[in-house]
Structures are given as structure tokens and as C-alpha cells.
Amino acid sequence: MKIKRADILSRTLTGRCPNCGHFGIFKNWFRLHKSCPQCAMELEKEESGFYFGTTSIGYVLAIVLVIIPVCILVVLNMLNVWLGVSIAIIGSTLLCTLLYPIMLCWVLMLYYTVQADELPQNLSDTAHDEAR
Ligand SMILES: [Zn+2]
């Protein structure tokens, strides 16, 4: 394969196109471009639950980083219950909003490291592999 999984990993984690390494795959904070402005590779995978995956990572992060610590503080009587609930709600919302582009990168990273041969630059080699 032309593009190794390590390349895909470093590219997607720095917010670049996994196929050509072009920086600028984000349309805005919450959305990717439909396809890469440089190599026209399809970036959005809406039909395969792309954004759903991102939101799920957000929930897990919010539970682990915000809700569980707040619960522990409430149980230890170090935090008032209603203050805890407010912190949990505001904290999880902020966390998901601020980390959304990073989580999108993670989903891109997971998707293309697993299916590295789906990249346009690797497709020609896939045919070659199957012939072997
Ligand atoms: Zn590209």
C-alpha cells in the first residue's frame, strides 16, 4: 500500500486528509467537507454512522471525564447534589462542543486505519493484492 497505517494515523490525528495529507478538511467546527478540497476523496461517511460515532465518543468521554468524577465528589459530600448536576450538564456540553473536531479526527482515524485500502491512493494496490 502506498499510504501506510502510520501515515493515516498521523494525518488524521492532526486534522489532515488521510489520502493526500491536505490540511483543511473541516468545513466548520462540527462538520467535515463532503470531500477533500485537494484530492476530492470522500470524507463524510454519514450513511455509515460517521457523526453518530463521533457523538458516541463524546458521550463516553463525558461520562468518564465529567459525570463519574462529579458523582464521586457528590458521594464524598464534597459537592452539593444540585451543584454537581449543574456541573455535570454544563461540563459534558462544553466537553463535547470543545472536543468535537478532535473526536471527528478520531472517527476518521479509526475508520481509515481499519480500511486503509479504501483510500483512493491505495485502491490500485488493492487490486494487485487480490490477484496474488
Ligand atoms: Zn485529500
Side-chain angles (χ1 to χ4, degrees):
M1 283 193 291
K2 274 188 193 132
I3 305 168
K4 295 184 180 60
R5 285 192 166 79
D7 297 328
I8 299 172
L9 211 78
S10 62
R11 282 177 182 176
T12 48
L13 286 180
T14 49
R16 288 178 296 158
C17 169
N19 188 52
C20 67
H22 174 73
F23 189 78
I25 56 172
F26 282 94
K27 190 161 79 185
N28 58 44
W29 196 260
F30 296 103
R31 280 287 177 270
L32 295 166
H33 282 294
K34 273 249 173 294
S35 54
C36 171
Q38 184 78 20
C39 67
M41 189 193 79
E42 192 195 350
L43 291 168
E44 267 193 349
K45 297 279 176 189
E46 212 140 8
E47 70 281 358
S48 57
F50 202 72
Y51 289 102
F52 178 75
T54 310
T55 318
S56 314
I57 296 176
Y59 287 144
V60 174
L61 279 181
I63 289 169
V64 173
L65 297 177
V66 180
I67 293 168
I68 291 176
V70 166
C71 286
I72 292 171
L73 290 177
V74 169
V75 169
L76 293 177
N77 273 328
M78 290 168 74
L79 206 63
N80 173 285
V81 174
W82 290 112
L83 185 63
V85 170
S86 320
I87 292 175
I89 293 171
I90 296 166
S92 345
T93 312
L94 268 179
L95 185 92
C96 288
T97 309
L98 291 176
L99 295 185
Y100 204 87
I102 296 168
M103 296 188 293
L104 264 180
C105 287
W106 288 354
V107 174
L108 259 186
M109 185 262 290
L110 287 171
Y111 186 88
Y112 284 109
T113 39
V114 171
Q115 306 187 54
D117 47 15
E118 264 200 19
L119 289 177
Q121 286 207 48
N122 285 341
L123 275 179
S124 49
D125 295 349
T126 313
H128 179 75
D129 284 349
E130 277 164 5
R132 253 189 291 174

